[in-house]
Amino acid sequence: MTEAYLIGAGQSDFGSFPDESYRSLFATAYGAAHDSVPNGIEAAEIDEAYVGTLGVGGRQLGLPGPAVTEHVGLDGVPCTRVENACAASGYAVRQAVTAIKAGMADVVLAGGVEVMTDVSGDAVRFWLGVSGETEWERLSGTTFAGVYAQMASAHMDEHGTTAEHLSHVAVKNHANGAKNPHAQLGFECSLEDAMSAPTVADPLTLYHCCPTTDGAACVLLASEDVVEEFTDDRIRVAGVGAASDAVGLFQRDTYTSVPASREAAQRAYAMAGVAPEDLDFAEVHDCFAIAELMAYEDLGLCEPGEAGEFVASGATAIDGELPVNTSGGLKSKGHPIGATGAGQVVEAFKQLSGAAGGRQLDDPRIGLTHNVGGSGGAAVVHVFEREEGGSSGGPSDRGARGSENGGGAA
């Protein structure tokens, strides 16, 4: 089976953009990804596309993938829309890797887009709710904040996790997001800010919850047969793991873990031939602060029950032993549902290619991304490895590269 490599990645700003559309946001992300390919790329060289989106607010429920890829000039490129709630574009990346490994494509675009802020708060909650269990959760009035609050309460009862531990997640991620020019909430917050903020769903305060967000992200991948045409710096997709579980929290055996995350991580580690201690950084799904703490445990970054002390120790800070969410995470960077998973891969690409600016880590080699759908009905994990000593490639036999294409760049 051929290997898959990251050759480019980019995103739009994440935030609230009343003058933008899902097409224009995607065009910005695609343009940034296009421009990040070291040796250049043309639209004609892309064989396949996968686009993740939930379609919050009801826009273009059918064929949103072709709508955005056609808009950026990928005429004739087969495009598949992927919907797996908040894990939509994480799964789109997985599908892109699968297409390359299966030999169906040499160059694939994987991305995602969402516009969430142009409808009322009630409408947003409705659209978010459709990713939960409909009959017994959403229609009974349960929100995702309420579901994750149940998880937080259970974790506190079982493991002694505290509100201060939850708040350390917010402080860390805001500190990182303040260094990210694309972040929606690009400002720092104090421990007191996070702990004393208004309660959203006890024990979660406002600072323990991610915002609703507009944005897009795109990733370009290539097979080992053609990667040297596009870059001399080889970032391999070393491992991929995915898993599904019961959609409703009440249907699971545990409230203090996301079993799908555990299973996806084990599969990704096994494929990559690495262990958690081999990681140099991770981007994890922190839609709520408790989600990040559970991710530490589910991904094997610490033992079960130790996540609170793990974050409080500074281990996951940008200068800690294992930096987590250097982008600011969903909490600070933002959470445009369909774009979130691909956005995590954008950060991995930037870190591994040395392009993360003020939040750049010191010579990272192996990174992980972890994307969850709903409250844990789906999860996908990718492990990326920067290979040493990549050689430069010769002239392309797939046509000239480096000219302008149809994508708008930011």
Side-chain angles (χ1 to χ4, degrees):
M1 236 184 311
T2 186
E3 298 284 2
Y5 290 84
L6 278 177
I7 60 170
Q11 66 169 89
S12 70
D13 288 345
F14 284 3
S16 176
F17 306 113
D19 295 330
E20 299 282 356
S21 70
Y22 70 101
R23 284 186 171 97
S24 66
L25 288 167
F26 189 87
T28 296
Y30 174 71
H34 166 273
D35 291 348
S36 73
V37 179
N39 297 345
I41 189 170
E42 286 191 352
E45 296 181 284
I46 297 173
D47 302 315
E48 191 93 15
Y50 296 91
V51 175
T53 185
L54 179 64
V56 174
R59 66 190 54 76
Q60 197 61 45
L61 286 179
L63 299 177
V68 295
T69 53
E70 180 277 333
H71 181 67
V72 300
L74 300 183
D75 304 308
V77 175
C79 181
T80 303
R81 181 259 190 99
V82 179
E83 189 284 294
N84 231 359
C86 318
S89 60
Y91 269 79
V93 173
R94 177 177 181 264
Q95 290 304 109
V97 173
T98 300
I100 289 172
K101 286 184 172 292
M104 292 290 291
D106 276 325
V107 182
V108 185
L109 168 70
V113 63
E114 211 74 69
V115 176
M116 302 177 67
T117 66
D118 65 342
V119 294
S120 69
D122 286 343
V124 169
R125 282 189 289 274
F126 172 85
W127 282 102
L128 292 175
V130 302
S131 300
E133 204 286 325
T134 300
E135 288 183 288
W136 299 103
E137 287 184 349
R138 182 170 68 85
L139 293 183
S140 65
T142 303
T143 64
F144 271 121
V147 169
Y148 277 92
Q150 292 177 64
M151 293 179 174
S153 295
H155 208 277
M156 289 173 160
D157 291 343
E158 187 171 331
H159 298 303
T161 306
T162 67
E164 185 169 322
H165 291 145
L166 297 172
S167 298
H168 276 292
V169 173
V171 172
K172 171 183 67 70
N173 291 352
H174 272 278
N176 294 344
K179 298 180 178 71
N180 186 347
H182 295 299
Q184 180 175 7
L185 305 179
F187 54 84
E188 296 187 11
C189 76
S190 68
L191 197 63
E192 175 60 26
D193 289 334
M195 293 184 67
S196 63
T199 298
V200 174
D202 190 44
L204 302 177
T205 73
L206 185 64
Y207 274 94
H208 300 152
C209 308
C210 71
T212 55
T213 312
D214 306 333
C218 287
V219 176
L220 288 162
L221 301 105
S223 73
E224 63 183 302
D225 295 332
V226 301
V227 62
E228 291 184 356
E229 300 173 19
F230 301 102
T231 181
D232 300 332
D233 301 318
R234 294 160 65 111
I235 300 173
R236 184 169 65 97
V237 185
V240 182
S244 299
D245 198 2
V247 174
L249 178 61
F250 72 94
Q251 297 170 304
R252 298 183 213 143
D253 294 332
T254 176
Y255 277 27
T256 59
S257 171
V258 176
S261 292
R262 284 204 313 268
E263 184 64 31
Q266 289 168 7
R267 293 172 180 174
Y269 291 143
M271 181 183 289
V274 302
E277 53 266 28
D278 297 317
L279 300 176
D280 295 310
F281 66 91
E283 286 286 304
V284 309
H285 198 91
D286 61 320
C287 49
F288 299 90
I290 186 59
E292 178 163 326
L293 296 184
M294 290 191 299
Y296 295 166
E297 298 171 4
D298 291 333
L299 300 173
L301 309 186
C302 69
E303 293 299 317
E306 295 182 359
E309 290 302 320
F310 191 55
V311 69
S313 73
T316 59
I318 202 163
D319 58 354
E321 63 189 69
L322 179 58
V324 174
N325 286 337
T326 56
S327 69
L330 286 60
K331 175 63 200 73
S332 174
K333 184 184 180 185
H335 183 24
I337 291 178
T340 291
Q344 293 176 322
V345 180
V346 171
E347 181 68 10
F349 175 79
K350 289 183 177 181
Q351 289 290 351
L352 292 171
S353 59
R359 61 190 187 282
Q360 179 64 52
L361 301 175
D362 183 18
D363 197 31
R365 190 175 68 88
I366 299 176
L368 173 148
T369 63
H370 159 255
N371 192 198
V372 175
S375 60
V380 59
V381 172
H382 292 89
V383 176
F384 301 96
E385 180 178 12
R386 176 171 52 84
E387 293 185 346
E388 302 295 341
S391 61
S392 59
S396 169
D397 60 0
R398 304 180 73 227
R401 297 189 309 279
S403 62
E404 293 297 323
N405 65 7

